[in-house]
Amino acid sequence: DVKVTQSSRYLVKRTGEKVFLECVQDMDHENMFWYRQDPGLGLRLIYFSYDVKMKEKGDIPEGYSVSREKKERFSLILESASTNQTSMYLCASSSPAAGHEKLFFGSGTQLSVL
Amino acid sequence: GESVGLHLPTLSVQEGDNSIINCAYSNSASDYFIWYKQESGKGPQFIIDIRSNMDKRQGQRVTVLLNKTVKHLSLQIAATQPGDSAVYFCAEISMDSSYKLIFGSGTRLLVRP
């Protein structure tokens, strides 16, 4: 089974802090994604990557950046956390071989910015 | 987590009954549709998918129906069980959106014992 592991289940940070959310997948998937999930808004795509050192903006990239130095790891960075970034963050991966569209998700990181 | 369920439309069904969860999608050019299930405290899990050249697809206890005329997708769950309680999301994808999934806002399914 594909496993997508997010490093933290819960995080509490202060406004202005730099925050790193880490995601690792063990199935050699080319594609990795970061979403945020908010009540009533569903899942919104922040950034995605189709290859190492490659990144593309999703629908809501403002206030975020990403890093993909290794194929299995995709990091989401909040340069200066703000309260409106309090959310559930979900990492996902997929492979063209299995279908770009079949995303495998991690369990999520609930981030609270105070 | 639990916060996902807030503000969502909710469907309550009796254990053993059939459930029908509906979704209206936005892009008439979408090629492919997926249903995901999200249990409390977990990330979404793939359930079933359907391509735009089909109007019905069956899985184990689940059936997805696609009506392209009215841009409507439904997920039918037969003999609903307590383990089916979750939030269900539909998602659509099209080639012209660089294969990015667009998710609906979700429906919460509650199964009464």
Side-chain angles (χ1 to χ4, degrees):
Chain A
D1 280 351
V2 174
K3 190 154 186 189
V4 179
T5 303
Q6 294 183 231
S7 54
S8 303
R9 186 72 184 93
Y10 298 96
L11 271 181
V12 180
K13 297 292 182 180
R14 294 201 177 277
T15 303
E17 279 193 76
K18 189 169 185 176
V19 181
F20 293 87
L21 302 183
E22 306 288 349
C23 175
V24 177
Q25 49 93 6
D26 66 359
M27 282 300 291
D28 202 36
H29 281 176
E30 290 82 355
N31 309 329
M32 296 190 75
F33 306 81
W34 275 106
Y35 287 85
R36 64 177 283 175
Q37 185 174 31
D38 300 287
L41 296 177
L43 281 77
R44 293 181 290 166
L45 182 62
I46 305 171
Y47 267 97
F48 60 103
S49 169
Y50 287 152
D51 202 352
V52 176
K53 296 193 187 293
M54 177 268 177
K55 59 185 178 184
E56 284 200 37
K57 293 180 180 179
D59 300 316
I60 51 163
E62 297 78 19
Y64 303 94
S65 62
V66 290
S67 172
R68 188 140 183 228
E69 295 296 317
K70 293 184 178 181
K71 190 176 185 180
E72 67 271 18
R73 186 179 296 270
F74 193 36
S75 304
L76 180 69
I77 303 155
L78 287 66
E79 293 289 340
S80 178
S82 62
T83 54
N84 63 12
Q85 292 178 309
T86 291
S87 186
M88 170 68 79
Y89 289 88
L90 289 162
C91 175
S93 71
S94 70
S95 167
H100 286 280
E101 317 86 356
K102 288 185 182 176
L103 300 185
F104 294 87
F105 284 88
S107 294
T109 296
Q110 180 64 52
L111 173 67
S112 296
V113 183
L114 306 178
Chain B
E2 280 302 319
S3 64
V4 168
L6 295 175
H7 315 301
L8 287 176
T10 299
L11 175 66
S12 179
V13 299
Q14 191 71 39
E15 182 178 354
D17 286 353
N18 297 334
S19 303
I20 300 176
I21 301 170
N22 297 304
C23 176
Y25 63 91
S26 56
N27 185 357
S28 56
S30 290
D31 309 295
Y32 183 73
F33 304 87
I34 306 177
W35 280 99
Y36 282 90
K37 172 187 180 183
Q38 187 174 22
E39 296 175 87
S40 181
K42 297 183 180 179
Q45 284 180 287
F46 172 90
I47 304 173
I48 191 168
D49 56 0
I50 188 168
R51 297 218 169 267
S52 60
N53 61 355
M54 303 169 68
D55 52 21
K56 181 179 180 178
R57 189 162 187 221
Q58 285 185 290
Q60 200 173 26
R61 275 202 312 119
V62 294
T63 301
V64 57
L65 298 177
L66 175 62
N67 184 332
K68 293 182 286 295
T69 304
V70 293
K71 293 193 287 186
H72 184 267
L73 194 65
S74 68
L75 177 71
Q76 300 179 359
I77 304 173
T80 312
Q81 301 169 1
D84 295 326
S85 292
V87 176
Y88 290 81
F89 295 94
C90 65
E92 59 184 298
I93 193 168
S94 65
M95 283 172 48
D96 62 5
S97 66
S98 302
Y99 295 106
K100 287 188 293 181
L101 279 172
I102 300 171
F103 285 86
S105 55
T107 298
R108 186 177 188 186
L109 177 65
L110 292 175
V111 182
R112 304 188 304 273

